[in-house]
């Protein structure tokens, strides 16, 4: 019998739940399980992981069985995802030594690439404006301790 | 009158110049961020949390509460003017509010929303003040078994009231509970699921999770949508509803207020459910001959849900303040904020910190008043903000998120965690898995495990402890009833119908 996925979002949600559930339950085996009276660190995660996997099976089965009502998986836009999250990763990576101002410029310009209406001039102006605003609000105003200047310019 | 005495303490605290300023600042900034399309109260609160670190706890909570109402009101403004809900509780406001705006009555819709919210807020504040003390007393009778049952009730409530698939909501909650367990186990000192990463031994930061699944994921989802937003700015019209509109809106406001207040107290309830229910009620009461029809700009479709969501937003503070248990994602964030300020949420807050407790309640009303005063004249400013294209807004939103997450512990590790949850949140979005129950589970995970362990230790491993205590049994039966209601076929289809209103 060939299985047909009738509801893709349900089916893959189920798969995701099963994966997470099994992961947590399996990973927990390295800890002490304990007893019902004195629960070890593995007790609760194992029970929950098993429950999650079970829920996942039910969701996935629903995705297989249900009459094809919608549930079509939309396309993943990996380019947008990568620009936005990549910009944040770079921000996090350089913040300590490049300082707030430079990393803010990088964050804004790189994340702007995610838009299908990207314009260089606009992105650069916005990044400078945001660098100034964040400096005024978070450093001057709220006195947060974030390095402002690049490491070689600090004394 | 004890109630009046208590409120007097509250107003003494809330009316100091300093706290008035923070309530005002919170409302203003909250609205400012909440107006941004795609940024709901949860993301707004998470983003602005660091702005309150330096304040003393009372001022910080007053400001956060202000941010919450502001964000909610800002979301309604966006819903009416752009037909783009900032978050799910303004989804229903879009239906008739945007249609009103298209007919040149945006002003009346915005005015009705503001005035209705204020009336609802006033009523709900009194309700919170009246119900908090008796509930607090009840809370002192709670042992670990009762807490476990109560949390179970709350989680089941969140499942039943989530919009979308029941079973998927269960999955999201359990996943949230599991994620909440990452970090050092308090009983054994074992560092669980930390993969040898030292930062993870303290657990995953809840702001990072909230910002990732609500903020980042939302941005990516919005950016990928091509097509322009249409901002209705040509003719906002008078913000005062005319006589006929007022006559129609007034009873809807009253019904919305009552309904919202009740639904807000329920575990798992809050602004979202209140808004949906109020819309369904108004539509039902108006019948098929409503003029204009619902969905075509009927003012009752704005007045009812807007009052209800504000009343629900307010009364959802009740379980949080008295029991220390969050009933929705926003309250989970408020609890997080309290712990950052070293206040352990729970029944003891009222007695140990009366000025904070009553000050916060009094500031709810002040905040609502400020919103009316603030927002009606500032509508022009919000319209200007909405004209800024999204391609310039989202990098700015991203920037505030990044600084916010970083400054919680001054570590870039939290930013990386946010990126991870941003990607996961995007997956949830594509799989139509609602993230709100996950956040709730995340906060409740450690609490639930701790109380479960204590209860089982006290009962020497006998699980009947949960049904032999009458309080615990009652809560479990309530949970069971709630679950039963949700799976009952007639109600099930009704439930789907209510939530599908939005599609």
């Amino acid at each position: 019998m060939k299985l047909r996925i009738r509801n893709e979002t349900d089916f893959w949600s189920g798969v995701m739940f099963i994966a997470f559930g099994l992961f947590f339950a399996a990973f927990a085996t390295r800890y002490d399980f304990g007893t019902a009276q004195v629960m070890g660190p593995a007790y609760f995660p194992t029970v929950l992981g098993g429950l999650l996997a079970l829920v996942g099976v039910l969701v996935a089965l629903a995705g297989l069985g249900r009459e094809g009502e919608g549930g079509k998986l939309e396309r993943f836009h990996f380019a947008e995802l990568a620009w936005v999250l990549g910009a944040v990763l770079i921000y996090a990576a350089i913040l300590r030594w490049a300082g707030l101002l430079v990393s803010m410029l990088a964050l804004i310009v790189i994340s702007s690439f995610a838009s299908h209406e990207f314009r260089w001039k606009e992105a650069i102006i916005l990044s400078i404006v945001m660098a100034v605003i964040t400096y005024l609000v978070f450093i001057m105003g709220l006195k947060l301790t974030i390095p402002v200047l690049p490491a070689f310019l600090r004394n | 009158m004890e109630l009046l005495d208590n409120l007097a303490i509250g107003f003494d605290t809330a009316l100091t110049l300093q706290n008035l300023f923070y309530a005002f600042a919170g409302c203003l900034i909250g609205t400012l961020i909440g107006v941004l399309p795609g940024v709901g109260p949860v993301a707004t609160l998470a983003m602005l949390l660091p702005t309150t670190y330096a304040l003393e706890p009372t001022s910080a909570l007053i400001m956060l509460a202000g941010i919450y109402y502001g964000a909610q009101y800002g979301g309604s403004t966006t819903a009416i003017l752009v037909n783009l809900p900032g978050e799910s509780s303004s989804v229903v406001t879009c239906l008739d509010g945007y249609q009103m705006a298209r007919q040149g009555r945006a002003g009346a819709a915005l005015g009705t929303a503001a005035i209705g919210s204020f009336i609802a807020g006033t009523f709900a504040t009194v309700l919170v003040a009246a119900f908090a003390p008796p509930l607090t007393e009840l809370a002192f009778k709670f042992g670990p078994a009762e807490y476990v049952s109560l949390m179970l009730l709350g989680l089941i409530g969140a499942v039943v009231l989530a919009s979308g698939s029941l079973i998927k909501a269960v999955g999201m909650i359990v996943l949230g509970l599991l994620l909440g367990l990452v970090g050092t186990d308090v009983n054994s000192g074992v560092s669980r699921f930390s993969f040898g990463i030292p930062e993870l031994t303290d657990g995953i930061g809840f702001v990072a999770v909230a910002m990732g699944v609500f903020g980042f994921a939302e941005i990516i989802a919005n950016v990928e949508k091509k097509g322009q937003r249409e901002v209705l700015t040509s003719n906002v019209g008078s913000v005062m509803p005319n006589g006929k509109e007022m006559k129609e809106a007034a009873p809807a406001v009253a019904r919305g207020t009552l309904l919202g207040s009740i639904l807000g107290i329920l575990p798992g309830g809050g602004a979202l459910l209140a808004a949906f229910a109020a819309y369904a009620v108004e539509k039902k009461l108006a019948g098929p001959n409503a003029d204009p029809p619902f969905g075509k700009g009927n003012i009752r479709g704005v007045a009812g849900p807007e009052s209800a969501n504000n009343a629900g937003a307010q009364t959802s503070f009740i379980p949080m303040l008295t029991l220390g248990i969050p009933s929705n994602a926003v309250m989970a964030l408020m609890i997080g904020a309290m712990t950052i300020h070293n206040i352990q949420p729970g029944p003891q807050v009222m007695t140990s910190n009366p000025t904070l407790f009553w000050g916060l309640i009094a500031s709810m009303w002040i905040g609502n008043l400020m919103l009316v005063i603030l927002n009606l004249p500032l509508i022009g400013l919000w319209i200007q903000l909405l004209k800024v294209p999204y391609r310039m807004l989202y990098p700015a939103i991203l920037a505030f998120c990044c600084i916010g997450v970083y400054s919680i512990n001054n570590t870039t590790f939290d930013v990386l965690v946010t990126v991870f949850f941003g990607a996961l949140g995007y997956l949830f979005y594509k799989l139509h898995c609602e993230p709100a129950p996950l956040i709730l589970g995340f906060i409740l995970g450690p609490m639930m495990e701790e109380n479960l362990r204590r209860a089982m230790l006290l009962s020497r491993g006998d699980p009947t402890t949960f049904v032999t205590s009458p309080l615990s049994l009652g809560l479990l039966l309530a949970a069971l009833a709630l679950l039963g209601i949700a799976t009952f076929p007639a109600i099930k289809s009704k439930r789907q119908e209510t939530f599908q209103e939005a599609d």
Side-chain angles (χ1 to χ4, degrees):
Chain A
M1 194 187 83
K2 195 164 155 269
L3 279 175
R4 235 184 82 225
I5 302 171
R6 291 218 170 81
N7 189 322
E8 290 178 358
T9 55
D10 275 5
F11 179 77
W12 291 111
S13 304
V15 171
M16 176 183 76
F17 289 145
I18 295 171
F20 270 116
L22 291 181
F23 168 78
F24 275 102
F27 206 86
T29 52
R30 62 178 71 186
Y31 310 124
D32 176 32
F33 192 77
T35 62
Q37 184 180 348
V38 187
M39 292 184 187
Y43 198 105
F44 203 46
T46 310
V47 172
L48 286 180
L51 180 64
L52 185 57
L54 186 72
V55 168
V57 169
L58 292 177
V59 174
L61 283 180
L64 289 175
R66 198 182 298 171
E67 300 305 319
E69 54 164 273
K72 200 110 186 78
L73 201 59
E74 289 166 51
R75 198 166 73 84
F76 282 69
H77 291 70
F78 288 108
E80 282 89 338
L81 180 89
W83 283 121
V84 171
L85 296 184
V88 179
L89 283 179
I90 290 170
Y91 167 87
I94 65 173
L95 181 66
R96 281 298 170 91
W97 63 268
L100 177 71
L101 298 179
V102 173
S103 40
M104 192 51 63
L105 298 183
L107 173 69
I108 302 276
V109 173
I110 298 169
S111 65
S112 293
F113 272 100
S115 171
H116 55 281
E117 303 165 309
F118 174 78
R119 288 166 211 180
W120 269 108
K121 210 174 128 190
E122 229 176 56
I124 287 172
I125 294 174
L126 181 67
S127 69
I128 294 168
V129 171
M130 281 307 295
V132 173
I133 290 181
T134 47
Y135 176 73
L136 290 176
V137 173
F138 291 98
I139 309 297
M140 301 284 281
L142 295 166
K143 312 232 182 311
L144 297 184
T145 45
I146 305 174
V148 178
L149 293 172
F152 59 91
L153 288 177
R154 286 176 225 150
N155 35 29
Chain B
M1 276 288 281
E2 209 191 338
L3 177 66
L4 291 182
D5 287 345
N6 288 333
L7 282 178
I9 302 177
F11 277 103
D12 269 352
T13 315
L15 284 175
T16 60
L17 208 56
Q18 184 196 354
N19 286 339
L20 272 179
F21 169 76
Y22 288 121
F24 173 78
C27 286
L28 184 67
I29 308 172
T31 316
L32 180 76
I33 305 285
V35 162
L36 302 176
V39 187
V42 178
T44 308
L45 272 169
M47 203 188 299
L48 294 175
L49 198 58
T51 60
T52 62
Y53 287 167
L55 309 181
E56 53 168 308
T58 309
S59 305
L61 280 183
I62 286 178
M63 181 158 165
L64 282 171
I67 292 172
Y68 176 29
Y69 313 137
Q72 192 132 35
Y73 189 75
S76 312
T77 308
T78 314
I80 290 169
L81 292 173
V82 205
N83 197 21
L84 211 130
E87 52 106 40
S88 29
S89 77
S90 358
V91 166
V92 282
T93 308
C94 282
L95 300 176
D96 282 276
Y98 182 67
Q99 290 302 326
M100 282 182 73
R102 293 190 65 161
Q103 293 156 18
R105 287 155 69 211
L110 290 166
T112 308
I115 296 165
S117 295
F118 173 68
I119 294 170
T122 308
F123 179 78
T125 305
V126 176
L127 210 63
V128 175
F131 270 95
L135 269 175
T136 307
E137 249 156 63
L138 182 69
F140 279 117
K141 297 201 174 74
F142 273 42
E146 285 78 12
Y147 265 107
V148 172
S149 303
L150 180 72
M151 284 186 240
L152 205 63
L153 173 63
L155 291 177
I156 288 178
V159 168
V160 172
L161 308 174
S163 57
S165 157
L166 281 179
I167 182 90
K168 273 162 125 175
V170 174
M172 292 300 274
I173 282 190
V174 179
L175 182 54
L177 288 169
L178 279 166
L179 290 170
L181 298 182
V182 172
T184 307
D185 168 36
V186 276
N187 280 34
S188 61
V190 173
S191 173
R192 287 187 288 186
F193 309 108
S194 59
F195 313 107
I197 301 169
E199 283 91 344
L200 273 185
T201 53
D202 291 337
I204 304 173
F206 81 102
V207 175
V209 178
M211 204 98 94
V213 295
F214 282 103
F216 284 18
E218 188 76 31
I219 287 177
I220 304 165
N222 280 334
V223 167
E224 73 180 31
K225 279 182 209 139
K226 299 201 166 73
Q228 289 295 317
R229 288 175 296 135
E230 185 194 356
V231 186
L232 285 168
T233 50
S234 49
N235 187 10
V236 172
S238 157
V239 292
M240 280 313 284
N242 62 35
K244 178 177 170 286
E245 287 168 334
M246 263 203 235
K247 224 174 107 195
E248 273 183 44
V253 167
R255 283 189 291 266
T257 302
L258 269 178
L259 196 62
S261 301
I262 297 166
L263 292 177
I265 305 176
L266 286 186
L272 168 66
L273 170 77
F276 275 102
Y279 190 80
V281 165
E282 287 307 319
K283 198 174 169 183
K284 195 96 203 157
L285 281 176
N289 300 322
D291 175 45
F294 272 76
K296 292 271 182 287
N298 193 309
I299 195 159
R300 289 168 62 178
V302 176
E306 276 299 305
S307 312
N309 82 26
N310 207 39
Q314 221 99 309
T315 54
S316 62
F317 273 92
I318 292 179
M320 194 278 267
L321 286 172
T322 56
L323 299 162
I325 292 197
S327 57
N328 56 43
V330 172
M331 287 306 126
L333 270 158
M334 291 300 275
I335 285 193
M338 285 172 91
T339 20
I340 285 172
H341 284 283
N342 282 325
I343 299 166
Q344 188 56 47
Q348 72 288 348
V349 174
M350 196 177 88
T351 38
S352 65
N353 259 326
T355 51
L356 176 134
F357 187 87
W358 294 106
L360 177 62
I361 291 177
S363 81
M364 290 178 181
W365 185 75
I366 295 171
N368 275 290
L369 183 65
M370 277 178 182
L371 274 184
V372 178
I373 301 172
L374 191 72
N375 278 303
L376 292 180
L378 284 184
I379 284 172
L381 184 68
W382 308 139
I383 290 176
Q384 290 305 315
L385 191 64
L386 283 171
K387 277 186 182 163
V388 177
Y390 193 68
R391 66 171 186 275
M392 298 180 73
L393 282 182
Y394 79 84
I397 297 172
L398 212 56
F400 285 123
C401 288
C402 286
I403 296 181
V405 174
Y406 173 82
S407 57
I408 292 166
N409 293 320
N410 272 337
T411 158
T412 48
F413 180 77
D414 284 346
V415 184
L416 302 181
V417 174
T418 316
V419 169
F420 173 78
F421 279 96
L424 196 59
Y426 183 69
L427 180 67
F428 293 156
Y429 167 80
K430 287 292 179 192
L431 293 177
H432 298 272
C433 291
E434 265 216 82
L438 179 114
I439 300 283
L440 196 57
F442 180 76
I443 289 284
L444 288 181
M447 288 189 208
M448 206 164 168
E449 184 183 33
E450 201 187 326
N451 283 293
L452 183 67
R453 276 174 161 171
R454 262 192 234 157
M456 292 301 273
L457 196 61
L458 288 175
S459 74
R460 301 210 172 81
D462 179 10
T464 55
T465 178
F466 296 105
V467 288
T468 45
S469 139
L471 253 177
S472 167
L473 179 66
L475 290 165
L476 285 179
L477 286 178
L480 213 61
L482 211 54
L483 206 60
I485 292 169
T487 44
F488 194 68
I491 306 267
K492 200 173 163 190
S493 64
K494 192 82 215 150
R495 175 178 168 278
Q496 273 165 0
E497 202 179 295
T498 310
F499 284 116
Q500 262 157 20
E501 236 38 283
D503 299 334

